[in-house]
Amino acid sequence: MAQPAALAEVWRGPFLESHHSGHAVICDGSGQIVSAWGDPDAVVLPRSSSKMIQALPLLTSGAADARGLTTEQLALACASHQGAKIHVERVNRWLADLGLSDDALCCGPQVSRDTDLKLEMIRAHESPCRVHNNCSGKHAGFLTLTKHLGAGPHYVDPEHAVQKACLEAFETVTDQTSPGFGIDGCSAPNFATTMHGMARAMAWFATAAQRSDTMSTAGARLVEAMHTHPELVAGEVRACTRLMRVAKEPVALKTGAEGYFIAILPTRGLGVAVKAADGATRAAECAIAAILVKLDVLDADNPEVKAFLTPTVHNWDGLVTGEIRPAPGLLA
């Protein structure tokens, strides 16, 4: 089994103070590995990076079209959003269209990560709701599918029809039998696969528009929704949104908890998966930016790219004390 590879370095002045290792895989549309760092066979939980896979049954079942879902709603179904007003208001309207309220969501309440809304709610003595949860869009999609199937309300149960459909989609696009699942932060099952399997799945999405079967058409629609509405996929301060906006070509990017990150590159027919072994978000963001610079999808000199590729480290007095850099092997 290959060992994790160096992904990112943290420098303080002239000294390498810390480093992050992990795994990264690039696959083409045939599922073959184009490049790899670390162990392509490492078993991982892709966490929220798999949301577009979990959204596939929403479309393949006919539920999305039956409800007339918009591209904004499809983007939210794939989102890990900030809980800003643009996210919360849209998910609330979605729930209302379903004849449901916040209580129908199984994702649990979460404080808004949007500073303005968070402070506004504190001043108004308002408590966080489930709709503020970063996964509320995904769960609105689950509820839409639940209604379409006439299934029970506890849609996060691994034996529920919604989760069985998600597992089937997951194993189809990864082309692997999942060895199991963990329960995600939003209470839904998160299915495991290998790094190769996840990169293969992202390449499947990248080439979905080239095929005409129902599932591929669904995949292409989700990718289109994500890069059409980057602000709904994450939010104004998040790497997913900012890097999608400055990419040289249409891309879909998605972070996941514990140092996961994926990229879907339709123009090139490539899929990318990154996992920081220590779960560090800063390492995953640096590594995905470096790989996309290496592929000439991002411009290394763009300030928005530099914010994740080579972010500066500041002390409490605002002095620049160092920076985070990609490991040399990522850019070679």
Side-chain angles (χ1 to χ4, degrees):
M1 182 173 64
Q3 295 299 307
L7 294 183
E9 302 176 343
V10 185
W11 288 77
R12 184 171 295 269
F15 297 100
L16 174 61
E17 186 172 39
S18 305
H19 64 87
H20 300 279
S21 60
H23 315 283
V25 179
I26 304 175
C27 268
D28 64 20
S30 70
Q32 299 302 304
I33 295 176
V34 174
S35 299
W37 298 261
D39 184 7
D41 294 321
V43 175
V44 293
L45 292 167
R47 303 296 294 273
S48 286
S49 288
S50 64
K51 281 182 177 174
M52 70 291 298
I53 304 176
Q54 293 170 301
L56 281 170
L58 176 62
L59 281 79
T60 57
S61 66
D65 290 336
R67 283 282 171 179
L69 297 190
T70 65
T71 55
E72 288 189 349
Q73 288 169 306
L74 296 184
L76 283 168
C78 302
S80 295
H81 62 70
Q82 280 180 261
K85 286 186 177 180
I86 62 168
H87 309 118
V88 173
E89 290 171 355
R90 284 166 172 78
V91 177
N92 271 329
R93 287 199 297 269
W94 190 349
L95 291 174
D97 289 343
L98 292 171
L100 299 171
S101 66
D102 192 79
D103 289 341
L105 296 169
C106 294
C107 52
Q110 184 180 9
V111 175
S112 173
R113 280 72 57 213
D114 179 77
T115 302
D116 291 340
L117 181 56
K118 177 182 177 180
L119 292 177
E120 181 181 316
M121 292 179 68
I122 290 172
R123 294 186 189 105
H125 303 287
E126 295 177 354
S127 299
C129 299
R130 295 167 187 263
V131 73
H132 296 101
N133 189 296
N134 77 95
C135 298
S136 65
K138 178 180 79 172
H139 283 248
F142 284 161
L143 283 167
T144 303
L145 180 55
T146 296
K147 278 220 161 193
H148 187 75
L149 298 176
H154 195 57
Y155 58 83
V156 293
D157 187 326
E159 295 303 313
H160 192 278
V162 166
Q163 299 308 326
K164 287 185 175 181
C166 289
L167 175 58
E168 182 179 358
F170 188 83
E171 293 185 333
T172 296
V173 298
T174 59
D175 196 27
Q176 292 179 346
T177 299
S178 175
F181 63 87
I183 299 301
D184 216 330
C186 67
S187 297
N190 192 251
F191 301 108
T193 188
T194 64
M195 287 297 297
H196 184 188
M198 194 62 180
R200 181 190 289 119
M202 298 306 101
W204 179 92
F205 276 96
T207 55
Q210 302 171 20
R211 302 182 297 271
S212 58
D213 61 282
T214 300
M215 194 165 180
S216 295
T217 299
R221 289 175 63 186
L222 292 170
V223 172
E224 176 72 17
M226 290 177 71
H227 70 66
T228 300
H229 304 289
E231 72 285 352
L232 297 181
V233 173
E236 294 301 324
V237 302
R238 302 288 303 283
C240 303
T241 295
R242 293 168 67 181
L243 295 179
M244 279 194 278
R245 282 177 171 168
V246 298
K248 299 179 183 181
E249 60 197 56
V251 298
L253 304 178
K254 186 70 191 67
T255 190
E258 295 299 325
Y260 216 90
F261 222 115
I262 62 87
I264 298 169
L265 312 178
T267 302
R268 300 154 190 268
L270 297 176
V272 185
V274 168
K275 166 67 178 177
D278 64 355
T281 296
R282 68 181 184 181
E285 290 175 344
C286 177
I288 197 73
I291 290 171
L292 294 178
V293 165
K294 180 183 177 73
L295 293 171
D296 198 32
V297 175
L298 295 176
D299 180 357
D301 293 326
N302 187 298
E304 287 290 270
V305 176
K306 292 172 74 172
F308 302 100
L309 180 70
T310 53
T312 53
V313 178
H314 299 80
N315 69 8
W316 290 108
D317 201 32
L319 298 176
V320 175
T321 59
E323 70 174 6
I324 300 172
R325 306 174 190 169
L330 281 185
L331 294 172

